[in-house]
Amino acid sequence: MSTTPPVLAAELAQAWADIQRHHSELPDLAAPESLIGESSSACGAELSFERLLHEAVHGIAAARGVRDTSRAGRYHNRRFLSIAEELGLDHPEEPHPSSGFSLVTLNPEAKKRYRPTIERLQRALRAHTVATTADTSRTFRGPAARHGSSGGGVRVKAVCDCGRNVRVVPSVLAQAPIMCGGCGKPFRIPEVVGVGAGAG
């Protein structure tokens, strides 16, 4: 019953795959664990399904070649808002002077569509929070752990049977499988020794 970042990363990957089922042009999420502990005031500081959907808007914009931000990625323009509305995010007010339309929120239809995904991700986030804040007075957690990263290391390509791929640190994948939302099989790292699986 591990609640370490790799497990949360797997849940993030699954939630991303759930979004892809409704928006097939959304590219694969290269490194789900990179979102854990990452803070971005322009995109929302707290990790949640709403934040993940916000990141998906940027993914679709990139896939379409649409420039959805300016001012070093801080200001979210009307092209961002247009794609956000497609994904079920609303911005009922005028744009913020410095961040534009970044503070989007889930509309009722999207909440209903993604309810099981939202609930599953919220459980994983709660468990992760408990696991990473427990007993901090008695243990030293290095900067990578404090910021929720995988602990560093070179990311390599992991593949699944249907051909999708993600970038992952081998030691992260060794701790718990990351399941593909497309085919339901685990991602594996070909030709890497010592990741928990024997050579094929």
Side-chain angles (χ1 to χ4, degrees):
M1 201 167 104
S2 174
T3 49
T4 54
V7 175
L8 180 53
E11 289 296 341
L12 287 166
Q14 181 60 54
W16 191 266
D18 291 347
I19 300 168
Q20 284 179 313
R21 275 196 277 280
H22 296 279
H23 303 279
S24 59
E25 66 184 308
L26 177 62
D28 290 345
L29 183 60
E33 69 275 12
S34 68
L35 292 173
I36 302 170
E38 180 184 287
S39 175
S40 168
S41 57
C43 296
E46 187 179 336
L47 185 54
S48 63
F49 181 76
E50 198 168 74
R51 163 84 188 279
L52 197 64
L53 204 57
H54 178 128
E55 298 294 345
V57 174
H58 291 305
I60 288 178
R64 293 178 181 174
V66 170
R67 188 171 178 209
D68 62 339
T69 63
S70 57
R71 301 179 197 167
R74 182 163 181 78
Y75 190 87
H76 293 55
N77 59 35
R78 289 193 182 275
R79 290 184 290 272
F80 170 85
L81 181 59
S82 175
I83 299 171
E85 288 170 346
E86 289 178 42
L87 270 67
L89 292 165
D90 288 338
H91 191 281
E93 302 166 3
E94 288 299 305
H96 186 275
S98 61
S99 61
F101 295 99
S102 69
L103 301 177
V104 285
T105 56
L106 277 166
N107 68 28
E109 185 182 333
K111 283 181 185 174
K112 184 177 178 183
R113 178 189 310 139
Y114 292 112
R115 180 171 285 122
T117 304
I118 292 167
E119 290 173 355
R120 193 176 64 238
L121 186 57
Q122 282 176 337
R123 282 194 300 272
L125 285 164
R126 279 195 298 268
H128 175 73
T129 299
V130 168
T132 55
T133 57
D135 221 14
T136 53
S137 62
R138 296 177 51 212
T139 58
F140 174 75
R141 298 168 71 237
R146 285 199 307 275
H147 297 297
S149 85
S150 60
V154 177
R155 289 191 175 98
V156 297
K157 183 159 67 170
V159 298
C160 69
D161 288 350
C162 68
R164 298 173 76 207
N165 64 76
V166 295
R167 291 264 171 200
V168 64
V169 177
S171 61
V172 167
L173 198 58
Q175 292 174 45
I178 297 176
M179 308 307 287
C180 174
C183 67
K185 301 216 175 136
F187 285 97
R188 55 189 163 56
I189 301 172
E191 300 172 23
V192 173
V193 178
V195 243

